[in-house]
Amino acid sequence: MNCIIKVVRGDARPRARTAAWRNGAAGIAIAALSAPAMAVAKDGGDANAQAQAVPVQQSDAVRNDGGQDIVVTGHASKKAEIASTGTTSVLSGADLQRQPAVSVVDALARLPGISVAPTDFFGTPSSGNHGGLDGAARGGASFVYLRGLSGSYNVNLVNGANAAQGMPYSRQIQLDLLPPVGIAAIVVNKTSTADMDGDAIGGTIDFRTPTAYDFDQKTHVGFYLQGGLNQTALDYKTPAGSGMAQAEISHRFGADDAFGIYATGYYGKRYFASTMVDFQAGQWEYAVSQGEQGSNPDGFDKKDNLLLTSTNAQFTEGHQTRYGGALGLDWHLGATKLYARGTYAVSDIAQNIYQKGIQADHYSAAIQRPDGLYQNAESDAEYHGWFETAPAQSTLISGVIGGTTEADRLTLNYSGFWSWGKSAAINHAEIGYQTFAGNQLNGPFQVSYRDGYPIPLLSAAQLARLNDNSLFTAEQGSGEYTTSRSTASKLGGRFDATYKVGSWLDALSAGVKFVHSKRNTYSRDFSNLDLVPAGQPMTDSPFVRNQIAAIDRKYYPYTFLRGDGGALTDAARLAAAQVTLSPDDFNKNSLSGTEDVISGYALARMEFERLEIQPGLRFEHTSIDNRFWNMVSGGSASASGVQDGFQTSKSHYNILLPSLHANYRPDEDSVLRGAIWRSYTRPAFFQLAGGSQTTVNSDGSIDITEGNPDLKAVKSWNFDASIEHQHRGFSASAAAFYKALSDYLYDRGTSFRAQQIAQNGVSSISRPVNGGSAGMYGVELSARFQLVDLPGWESGFGVSGNATLQHSWAHLDDAATDHSQQMQGTPNHLYNASLFYEKGPFYANLSYRYNGALIAAYRFGDYGGKELNDTQRATSSVDATVAYTIDQRFKIAAAATNIFDNISYYRTVGPDSDEVPQIVRWGRGFTVTLTANF
């Protein structure tokens, strides 16, 4: 596709202007593959789209701030970004197809200021690694961070409608369920105006689907076919293929094409395989300590004094099935234009994980030194085998219905929307195996390191025992079955009015919005199950399929047995059915609640020749009701009168959000921007009401651990300045930003942060509390240059790239760790660079992506502090794409990802120590794609 930009002076109002605006307000169902909507126009569009008048549909016409109508056909234009009010990045459907990507998340990672992660760092009470290492091994990223702030700080929209946040213990959305097909555009707003939702400290991401008016033909039919291979799976002779098919059709009919319909559907299946290395939780200590296995001595750097006491080599295989569709309806009835948008997306992941572990934590062999300190070591180690399934299901459905009516100077926008999301691990099963004493390590446990991998030092006899799978037998009660499910729904509507005044006061806008949300979460764990007779050799297990020679061909020549995940799940589910959980075990991880948000805003738009100023004020009232389980324990519980049962809590937030945006446009190719606005983020439901545990002590005192309904919302003052320019083959932008956060909450970790607080009549109460202040500043630089002025074929060459440099800090106000640290999830450096050729029917691109290191989780106490924070280390990838267009209807493309087989996920205890690592390698990927349009 080629980009065509049409600028019309004056008051013309072409069809897409309304379509774009209207989209944000209406749409029948969100969830899935084709998720983007329509742009929000400034002087009369649908504010529900919340995209600051960014005109980027495939054939999208909207007014820019200068009152001009811009039509963009094909991939997103830099003109669309320049026309927007604030700092904005745009990806069109054509852009998505140009870059090799497993999902929209991988594609977004190539934009300035955006980092991605395969895990949200926030596990559930019974999830173990499901949200961490296991999720990271699935061959793609799942979560999007804007300027280093996690997805909990973002607003996610589909066709302008708020997407339901189905994650159980955070406000994030697993966006990897959306494949990079069937999407018209993704608009990322890093600044917020008063007509946009205020709970967006990070920014707003709007996914938009096509409409019938986005295609040149009255009737359009398109097909997308893709096939691929995963090299790691191919090397291990496990299923390695992938495939996806999409079909779309659109048609305009009636007088003057007043009616339009667009429909699409897709189905795809992707197999993956990864090698992993992990450490057993808690199986690391200080090499030299005060007291045996004690605290770090004075004068020793914690990060240089670590001793790993377990090594777990792992292999995982599985597949992701995705399917869904989108529907768009438009009615153009003169001054009124109505529309409906709907999408549906499902992702279903089946995953098996195998482990060969050497665990030495129970064999301490500390030696006291002359200085009184202890030199720690391990005299022996146990051999462990382990097989688990790690299922993951995600669904996102939503719809929006609405319209726009123009009456002289007045424009009305109205819409209603609904969204439903699910995140679940319905059938997780696992079983453990262990060798007996005569077949253990039978010697000291020591490791060396190669390329960051911990390599146990094994003799030939020790390795032979480890590789003899008949020596591994099922442990008593080593089976486990868990089922977890979280759902969320959003129902809402909005009404906006814009009055065109004229003169220097160009327009006045005002609007109201209401959103009602529901959440339901549970997680139930059935432990100590006997899935096979105790002592049964692993080789005789009914769950085994075949043996693989090495769990990692380069680092760990340990044999493992591929398992049958379905058979293991069936056995675990059957065993769990024989167990009756106590009310505490059944309900302790259950949480439900409702959230109502009522908001209103007013803004003015003033023009002074080339200067545009937009002051605004927004107010949001939030009311949250939660229901959770109170678990009571202790010998005196019955006498105290404290009872098990469900309890409720309420939380309220009233936030005033002023904003001021100013744009100076010296010419139609350039813009200078400045913005100041306030935004906020509400605490996660889990932090507000994450269950309650009451312990009645023998003396009658009571200890309580609970969520905190009095948590404050995180608030931020945001400052942004940017300059953009585009002319012929050159475009460039530079943005500087600063965020000052108060009442900071860290939203990741396996449990909420608790601080002990004394209360009358209660011995202690522990609940999450707000931290101190936090902040960040940085710059984003982006440029693209093509040699368009050269004659002939040479004019197709070009380069592009972007860089984000940022610095963050957080004052945690917690004595158990360092006071000032870097914010969680905030990398200091992000880079993208590409060399491309684009001329006529041929396109080629060689790209490099660098995701900087970040703090994944803070650590506290003796084994905490900034030296030992869990750190996600920097990763990089080199990818390539080659495409050729045949007679404008057919295009074939081939892509290779991670060409140099770089480490995909690398997490360590400490920011610059390799002693205690988690490592995942996905391997290379290859795809071939055919698209056809008629």
Side-chain angles (χ1 to χ4, degrees), residues 541-578:
S541 171
F543 314 133
V544 167
R545 289 190 288 182
N546 63 290
Q547 179 170 289
I548 303 294
I551 206 163
D552 185 308
R553 296 177 180 220
K554 186 174 181 181
Y555 300 101
Y556 301 109
Y558 310 157
T559 64
F560 71 97
L561 298 175
R562 285 185 67 217
D564 184 333
L568 175 63
T569 300
D570 290 342
R573 184 170 46 228
L574 181 62
Q578 311 305 312

Side-chain angles (χ1 to χ4, degrees), residues 42 58 60 74 200 210 375 451 520 594 706-707 841 916 920:
K42 278 247 184 88
Q58 283 188 329
D60 201 4
Q375 186 75 46
D451 304 328
N520 286 282
T594 63
E706 63 181 4
V916 189
V920 176

Side-chain angles (χ1 to χ4, degrees), residues 22-39:
R22 303 26 188 228
N23 287 350
I28 311 179
I30 78 175
L33 130 167
S34 343
M38 301 312 272

Side-chain angles (χ1 to χ4, degrees), residues 152-171:
S152 296
Y153 292 94
N154 301 335
V155 169
N156 293 284
L157 308 173
V158 179
N159 288 327
N162 296 79
Q165 299 155 318
M167 292 291 291
Y169 295 102
S170 78
R171 290 183 177 271

Side-chain angles (χ1 to χ4, degrees), residues 163-167 395-397 418-423 486-490 517-521:
Q165 299 155 318
M167 292 291 291
T395 302
L396 185 59
I397 309 171
W418 172 81
S419 177
W420 185 83
K422 179 183 77 170
S423 178
S486 177
T487 61
S489 65
K490 287 181 181 288
S517 303
K518 288 184 178 181
R519 290 183 68 111
N520 286 282
T521 296

Side-chain angles (χ1 to χ4, degrees), residues 504-521:
W504 62 269
L505 181 57
D506 180 63
L508 295 172
S509 298
V512 294
K513 183 176 181 179
F514 172 75
V515 182
H516 174 72
S517 303
K518 288 184 178 181
R519 290 183 68 111
N520 286 282
T521 296

